[in-house]
Amino acid sequence: MNSSRPPKFAALSPLPLTLACVLALGGCAWRPIQTDPLPEMQVPDKWSIGALADVAHAEQLWPDSDWWKQFGSSELSALVDEGQRNNFEIAAAFSRVKQAEAQARIAGAPLLPNVEINANAARDLPISGGSPVNSAGAALQVSYEVDFWGKNRASRDAAEASLRANRYDRETVALTVTSGIVSTYLQVLSLRDRLEISRQNVSTAERVLRLVEAQSRAGSASPLDLARQRSALANQKALIPDLQQQEQDAQTALAILLGRPPQNFTVQEKGLSRIRMPRISAGLPSELLMRRPDIRRAEANLVAANANVAVARAALFPSITLTGSTGAQSNALLSLFDGPNLFASIGAGLIAPIFDGGRLKNQRDLAIAQKEELVQVYRQGVINSLSEVEKALGAIRSLEERYRLKSGEVDQARFAFDLSEIRFRAGAEDLMVVLDTQRTLSEAQNQLGQIKLQRLQATVSLYKALGGGWHDDAAGNGAAAP
């Protein structure tokens, strides 16, 4: 063998030089992306004094991440844990996060060179005679779009912001589902309380009817009195089927939130008697913007829109691509990597828009208009979050007062009914008075049960409006409530 021939593969040395040139030029070309800051919002220093007077502590605290445990129900805690694991909406939101992660990786790929290898081998067989001819070739190609205008980095930044938005969206969905589980569970228990009250009212009406029937047989009660009491009893009985259907519907809705078929699902707790009435504080309004995942989602969407504007603007400028290749081609496979058969090349290409009918300019205008829309969406979200907290605080204060007054009304209505029944037995009172006090007691008890449920659900609404104890973690990925 000729000692002056270079060793095998030695001629591939242009490849490292090609890669070095591509990466060096690409790194020097990057320009930082200028994005607009978040719009300024005027946030009050504190919540309404009237709303805070009765329901918030002096210290500025926030709900715990496991806020539903404050209701004191182990069954509710177990159901919330199950819902967070099995709810289909949360699972779908998690899948959207995985999609966004893949999109972020895809968007980041153009920031790195694209490397391809192309190899081929052929054997030509002459039909008219002669010897077969073998040929082979191999080439390694490297291409890189120089990011002079920051388009590729802006695309990556937009994808990463969209990823954060999807993570915040998952936390928003989880908070909504958790609040729905708690609220629906309380509704089931409230309906069971109202059913029990209705059954007690039926029992009371039956007792009065037996008394009227006895008086009718003795001739001291008229057929009209008998008909009126039978009508009152029928009216009380008619309330039960509707309440039973409402309870069943509420249990079905709860099963759906848990990702369970409703046919074999039932709540074990019998009523609201063992449910505690939590008392929480509302913290500071300025901190609310960092405590609600939907607000953070709006922020991330706005950041993504800013980056998309940068992408659309960069598309108006020329695009420069660097290419490099090295390889070998030979009519003999065994001599493919011999020096004379090797080649290497470095090139550059430029593509600049000249006329596209205004497509790129209109795409830029579209991106700007979409960003301006998201600015308003962000502002509206902030205002809505502040108003939701105020409404929840005001509702709690109002419902506490209504519950106190209605409880006194129920006590007096029960006393009036008991007294009218005693006087009726003694013949000192007309049946119409008994029927009237009985109806008043039934309506007051039903309204008291509804107010108690509304008071509990207002607390759930306040927890939700405050972000449910959620907070952003150090990595900015969001933290789900455990």
Side-chain angles (χ1 to χ4, degrees):
M1 180 178 288
N2 189 349
S3 60
S4 63
R5 173 180 288 182
K8 283 187 177 182
F9 307 112
L12 290 177
S13 58
L15 177 59
L17 176 62
T18 301
L19 289 172
C21 291
V22 169
L23 293 175
L25 288 174
C28 294
W30 174 73
R31 295 184 177 185
I33 304 299
Q34 300 295 327
T35 58
D36 297 335
L38 289 173
E40 294 185 1
M41 295 293 299
Q42 292 185 351
V43 179
D45 296 332
K46 58 183 179 180
W47 305 108
S48 168
I49 296 177
L52 281 173
D54 298 327
V55 298
H57 304 304
E59 63 271 17
Q60 300 298 334
L61 302 175
W62 286 87
D64 296 328
S65 57
D66 54 355
W67 54 270
W68 55 88
K69 294 182 179 179
Q70 301 300 317
F71 291 94
S73 170
S74 58
E75 182 181 36
L76 175 59
S77 297
L79 292 177
V80 169
D81 291 343
E82 179 181 350
Q84 291 180 343
R85 290 193 308 269
N86 300 333
N87 179 267
F88 298 124
E89 293 183 34
I90 295 178
F94 181 73
S95 296
R96 290 194 293 270
V97 171
K98 294 171 65 177
Q99 295 172 40
E101 289 174 345
Q103 290 289 350
R105 291 192 292 269
I106 293 172
L111 294 172
L112 299 174
N114 185 43
V115 182
E116 296 179 341
I117 187 170
N118 182 15
N120 63 81
R123 180 179 177 85
D124 298 330
L125 302 174
I127 297 178
S128 59
S131 301
V133 178
N134 298 323
S135 64
L140 188 66
Q141 298 177 339
V142 182
S143 63
Y144 181 77
E145 181 181 356
V146 182
D147 201 18
F148 272 114
W149 320 112
K151 180 180 68 174
N152 293 336
R153 288 184 179 270
S155 295
R156 182 203 60 186
D157 293 344
E160 290 179 347
S162 295
L163 171 59
R164 292 195 299 274
N166 277 275
R167 285 172 173 160
Y168 294 137
D169 180 67
R170 180 189 179 278
E171 304 307 327
T172 302
V173 171
L175 175 58
T176 301
V177 169
T178 299
S179 301
I181 291 173
V182 177
S183 182
T184 307
Y185 177 81
L186 296 172
Q187 184 180 8
V188 171
L189 301 190
S190 175
L191 287 166
R192 289 183 173 179
D193 283 342
R194 291 172 62 190
L195 269 170
E196 179 60 27
I197 291 173
S198 291
R199 294 188 179 103
Q200 292 175 2
N201 289 337
V202 167
S203 177
T204 299
E206 288 175 339
R207 185 178 72 245
V208 175
L209 177 59
R210 288 193 297 269
L211 177 59
V212 175
E213 287 174 341
Q215 291 181 346
S216 176
R217 288 191 297 268
S220 59
S222 67
L224 179 58
D225 292 337
L226 191 60
R228 283 173 174 168
Q229 184 56 29
R230 285 173 176 170
S231 175
L233 175 59
N235 179 68
Q236 293 295 334
K237 288 183 176 180
L239 298 176
I240 293 179
D242 182 57
L243 290 173
Q244 289 175 330
Q245 185 60 47
Q246 290 182 46
E247 180 204 4
Q248 185 60 45
D249 291 345
Q251 283 200 103
T252 299
L254 182 56
I256 292 173
L257 289 171
L258 300 175
R260 282 202 208 180
Q263 287 75 14
N264 299 323
F265 172 73
T266 184
V267 172
Q268 300 300 319
E269 190 64 55
K270 301 303 181 183
L272 292 172
S273 59
R274 294 195 292 181
I275 298 296
R276 293 201 302 261
M277 190 75 74
R279 299 185 66 84
I280 58 176
S281 57
L284 295 173
S286 58
E287 297 180 13
L288 184 65
L289 306 188
M290 301 296 294
R291 292 282 186 167
R292 284 185 51 137
D294 58 333
I295 298 298
R296 302 307 306 278
R297 177 187 59 193
E299 290 179 6
N301 284 334
L302 190 52
V303 171
N306 273 323
N308 286 330
V309 170
V311 173
R313 286 172 176 164
L316 296 170
F317 298 99
S319 173
I320 300 174
T321 302
L322 302 178
T323 59
S325 64
T326 184
Q329 187 171 359
S330 174
N331 290 331
L333 182 61
L334 295 178
S335 62
L336 183 62
F337 296 106
D338 287 345
N341 300 318
L342 299 173
F343 66 86
S345 67
I346 299 177
L350 182 145
I351 300 177
I354 296 178
F355 177 77
D356 61 358
R359 177 178 60 87
L360 294 176
K361 178 179 179 297
N362 288 321
Q363 286 179 342
R364 179 203 61 189
D365 294 342
L366 173 62
I368 292 174
Q370 289 173 336
K371 184 200 73 172
E372 292 173 348
E373 176 193 1
L374 290 175
V375 169
Q376 306 309 320
V377 169
Y378 172 77
R379 288 173 171 165
Q380 185 65 48
V382 172
I383 296 299
N384 287 342
S385 66
L386 294 170
S387 64
E388 286 173 5
V389 175
E390 286 286 357
K391 288 171 63 177
L393 288 169
I396 291 174
R397 183 189 61 171
S398 173
L399 289 166
E400 283 187 338
E401 181 65 12
R402 288 177 59 192
Y403 186 82
R404 184 184 67 82
L405 295 174
K406 186 61 68 173
S407 296
E409 179 184 342
V410 169
D411 292 340
Q412 293 302 315
R414 182 178 292 108
F415 175 76
F417 172 71
D418 293 342
L419 185 59
S420 66
E421 184 180 0
I422 293 172
R423 289 174 58 82
F424 179 72
R425 288 176 180 272
E429 198 64 80
D430 186 78
L431 178 62
M432 288 300 296
V433 176
V434 178
L435 294 177
D436 184 60
T437 55
Q438 182 181 5
R439 183 177 60 255
T440 300
L441 175 61
S442 176
E443 292 175 354
Q445 288 176 323
N446 189 52
Q447 292 170 2
L448 181 64
Q450 292 179 3
I451 293 173
K452 184 176 183 180
L453 173 63
Q454 291 170 3
R455 170 63 179 83
L456 288 165
Q457 291 183 330
T459 302
V460 176
S461 297
L462 181 57
Y463 277 124
K464 182 181 177 183
L466 294 174
W470 177 87
H471 65 280
D472 223 352
D473 63 12
N477 294 337

